Amino acid sequence: MSLADNIKKLREDKELRQKEVANALDIGYSNYNKIENGNREISVKELQRLAEFYNITIDQVINLNGGLPKEVVIEDKQANEQLRLISELDTDDRAIIFKMIDKMLTSKKFKDFFNKNVASL
């Protein structure tokens, strides 16, 4: 199998669309399509992003052997950074933030429940 075939197989095994993978690589859909069809070489930077996206090594992309992870997680980098910063706060400040979040989530659940049940009347 060629590198292009491996890249296509990775995407198809995860039941992803080309556009989703192109967005993860920060390239246009048509450029990604050309990579999968073997009409354009993938850059080292794009190959690194692809491996990170699938949570595998570059070697695994190049020498695809079927040992793929079961799940692809698309991370929200801003949310991860915010959680990291929250974890650096002292215990009391963290507790306040989590109480606020809990209250907001409880309010949203109540609103959703109320709207659903009022709508059915």
Side-chain angles (χ1 to χ4, degrees):
M1 287 180 76
S2 70
L3 179 57
D5 293 332
N6 291 351
I7 292 170
K8 183 175 182 176
K9 181 170 178 14
L10 283 167
R11 179 184 58 78
E12 289 176 342
D13 286 352
K14 296 298 178 191
E15 298 179 2
L16 296 169
R17 295 185 333 239
Q18 286 185 342
K19 186 174 182 177
E20 292 171 298
V21 181
N23 287 339
L25 298 181
D26 197 26
I27 62 174
Y29 162 78
S30 63
N31 280 324
Y32 180 77
N33 180 277
K34 289 176 186 176
I35 290 170
E36 272 197 12
N37 290 323
N39 297 324
R40 176 184 179 274
E41 293 295 321
I42 189 167
S43 72
V44 172
K45 187 175 183 179
E46 292 163 346
L47 189 56
Q48 288 172 324
R49 286 184 186 149
L50 186 73
E52 288 173 12
F53 178 69
Y54 289 114
N55 196 26
I56 59 177
T57 65
I58 292 173
D59 183 58
Q60 287 174 304
V61 175
I62 295 169
N63 302 302
L64 189 60
N65 60 8
L68 303 176
K70 300 261 188 275
E71 182 177 322
V72 173
V73 177
I74 301 175
E75 294 182 4
D76 182 339
K77 291 182 181 182
Q78 182 179 4
N80 285 342
E81 177 64 12
Q82 289 169 335
L83 287 173
R84 188 189 66 74
L85 292 172
I86 289 170
S87 72
E88 293 177 0
L89 296 173
D90 65 44
T91 305
D92 292 337
D93 290 341
R94 263 196 325 266
I96 290 169
I97 288 174
F98 287 123
K99 283 180 185 177
M100 290 171 38
I101 292 170
D102 285 342
K103 193 228 178 271
M104 289 178 205
L105 293 172
T106 301
S107 295
K108 181 184 180 329
K109 287 178 184 176
F110 178 76
K111 283 181 193 176
D112 292 347
F113 176 80
F114 182 79
N115 289 335
K116 180 181 176 186
N117 288 314
V118 169
S120 65
L121 293 178

